[in-house]
Amino acid sequence: MGAMHLLLLTLSLLSLSTNAHNITEILSPFPEYKLFNSYLSQTKLDGEINSRETVTVLALNNAAMSSLAAKHPLSVIKNALSLHVLLDYYDGAKLHQISDGTTTSTTLYQTTGNAPGNLGSVNITDLKGGKVGFGSAVPGSPLDSSYTKEVKKMPYSISVIEISNPIIAPGILTAPVGSANITAMLDKAGCKTFAALLGSTGVEKVFETAAAKALTVFAPSDEAFKAAGVPDLSKLTNAELVALLQYHALPSYSPFGSLKTTKDPISTLATNGAGKFDLTVATSGDEVTLKTGVGSSRVASTVTDAPPLCIFTVDSLLLPEELFGKAPSPAPGPATATSPAPAVSTPTPSPATAPSPVFSPPAPPMESPEGSPSEGPSQSEESKSDKAGADVNTPALCKALLTVSASVVVSFFLA
């Protein structure tokens, strides 16, 4: 019975893992959505969609997408397409069962912080004759798009349905004027110290040049420079300071949704090959943490997300181990020439008679996985065995269940 329970639990875990969706793969068999799919990738909205547990994508065919994309920069197209990603599940049946015949659904555009009022929501109304209309939720907006057909659904994870025309919210197609002023945005976001360093070292020009193609900046807040343990940057050479500042930027457009799905180390502007000056990303729910090998920093807020430029604030300076080493070595203990070291010839001195040797304090754990159990006092093997089940954390338990149950599944089918 125990083995059967283990098998059922494993199959349940596997079914949960299969709920993950990939919008690019879903749309790839449909050539009529090739342009729509391409813009989802270019704007990195595909990562946002894939990171959501429940979502409905209002797909536009090539003709409708062409009318939306014409004469607009990528940043404007992203805003418009964000309005076509509903943060709820709707398929054909649900659209015709809307309570009171009309409802309002929140979209990805609402999560950007650039959508006041109902600008980031969509009005869905069940019209007469079996038609369902879509339009901006801003009062007075027309329902100038309608439901055409279901494309793909995975209840209740993702639904892709086709609508006839783009949904246009008031002002959403207004293109930004001029090029982005990075230092001005950093000053306004409370990153004046970082902005001043960019200007004094000339890295500001490097950022502006990169931003014309693709750039993501992780800007430490002013408070981050005042935090305890921050190294004295005045002791760095100019080349080292430039490398440190460039370590805070990626030569790519990587909005928050893309960061959440990043698994491999990512290169920075300071990367010079051989895995040097790379960052790794850790995700916990909706929180993203950048790890350097020396420490870590949480991605705190989005300053701007306008392809091909994205700027975030981070809680701490990103300190590459190429400049600052790994975890700092502990200070030597007081026992030196005047304090005899414990004799090598006495491997296990009696606790009651042997003098207590003086050891250096252990180095603080760096880059340890969150929730890792600390080492406890020495126990007998029997005691460890009795407590093994209680000491295993949840991720480790899942891995163990999957490993053990794999053999159970194989044995079950071979029997």
Side-chain angles (χ1 to χ4, degrees), residues 229-299:
V230 173
D232 186 355
L233 301 186
S234 66
K235 295 182 179 180
L236 297 178
T237 66
N238 186 66
E240 290 172 337
L241 182 56
V242 167
L244 174 63
L245 296 174
Q246 291 183 342
Y247 187 63
H248 287 73
L250 314 178
S252 60
Y253 169 66
S254 300
F256 196 76
S258 295
L259 291 177
K260 286 175 64 176
T261 57
T262 298
K263 304 298 182 183
D264 299 325
I266 50 179
S267 298
T268 66
L269 284 181
T271 297
N272 54 8
K276 300 295 185 181
F277 290 96
D278 283 353
L279 286 169
T280 57
V281 180
T283 303
S284 177
D286 285 331
E287 187 169 288
V288 171
T289 301
L290 303 174
K291 298 188 176 184
T292 70
V294 176
S296 60
S297 182
R298 182 180 68 96
V299 176

Side-chain angles (χ1 to χ4, degrees), residues 39 66-77 80 168 172-175:
Y39 275 106
S66 295
S67 67
L68 175 62
K71 300 180 181 180
H72 295 296
L74 198 60
S75 57
V76 173
I77 295 173
I168 307 299
I172 202 169
L173 296 182
T174 303

Side-chain angles (χ1 to χ4, degrees), residues 7-8 12 71 82-83 98 110 118-119 130 169 174 192 233 296 322 327 352 378-379 404:
L7 174 60
L8 292 176
S12 176
K71 300 180 181 180
S82 297
L83 202 64
I98 297 174
Q110 189 69 37
N118 288 333
L119 193 63
T174 303
K192 294 182 179 180
L233 301 186
S296 60
E322 289 81 3
S378 176
Q379 308 177 49
V404 172

Side-chain angles (χ1 to χ4, degrees), residues 86-255:
L86 311 181
L87 305 185
D88 199 351
Y89 180 87
Y90 290 94
D91 55 19
K94 185 176 178 180
L95 288 176
H96 290 94
Q97 297 172 357
I98 297 174
S99 300
D100 300 324
T102 186
T103 188
T104 299
S105 182
T106 302
T107 71
L108 272 183
Y109 188 54
Q110 189 69 37
T111 67
T112 64
N114 299 321
N118 288 333
L119 193 63
S121 298
V122 165
N123 177 9
I124 308 174
T125 300
D126 191 1
L127 304 173
K128 296 180 180 180
K131 293 184 178 181
V132 178
F134 292 82
S136 170
V138 174
S141 299
L143 296 174
D144 49 10
S145 183
S146 59
Y147 165 68
T148 303
K149 63 180 179 180
E150 288 183 346
V151 179
K152 180 76 174 182
K153 61 181 179 179
M154 298 168 56
Y156 288 88
S157 174
I158 185 171
S159 173
V160 181
I161 58 179
E162 181 186 289
I163 59 175
S164 60
N165 299 300
I167 301 170
I168 307 299
I172 202 169
L173 296 182
T174 303
V177 179
S179 59
N181 188 324
I182 295 176
T183 54
M185 287 189 286
L186 292 177
D187 283 345
K188 187 176 180 180
C191 304
K192 294 182 179 180
T193 304
F194 184 67
L197 288 172
L198 294 179
S200 63
T201 57
V203 176
E204 176 185 0
K205 294 182 179 179
V206 176
F207 279 17
E208 290 175 349
T209 300
K213 295 182 178 179
L215 180 70
T216 300
V217 179
F218 302 112
S221 64
D222 290 335
E223 294 301 318
F225 285 91
K226 304 174 185 178
V230 173
D232 186 355
L233 301 186
S234 66
K235 295 182 179 180
L236 297 178
T237 66
N238 186 66
E240 290 172 337
L241 182 56
V242 167
L244 174 63
L245 296 174
Q246 291 183 342
Y247 187 63
H248 287 73
L250 314 178
S252 60
Y253 169 66
S254 300

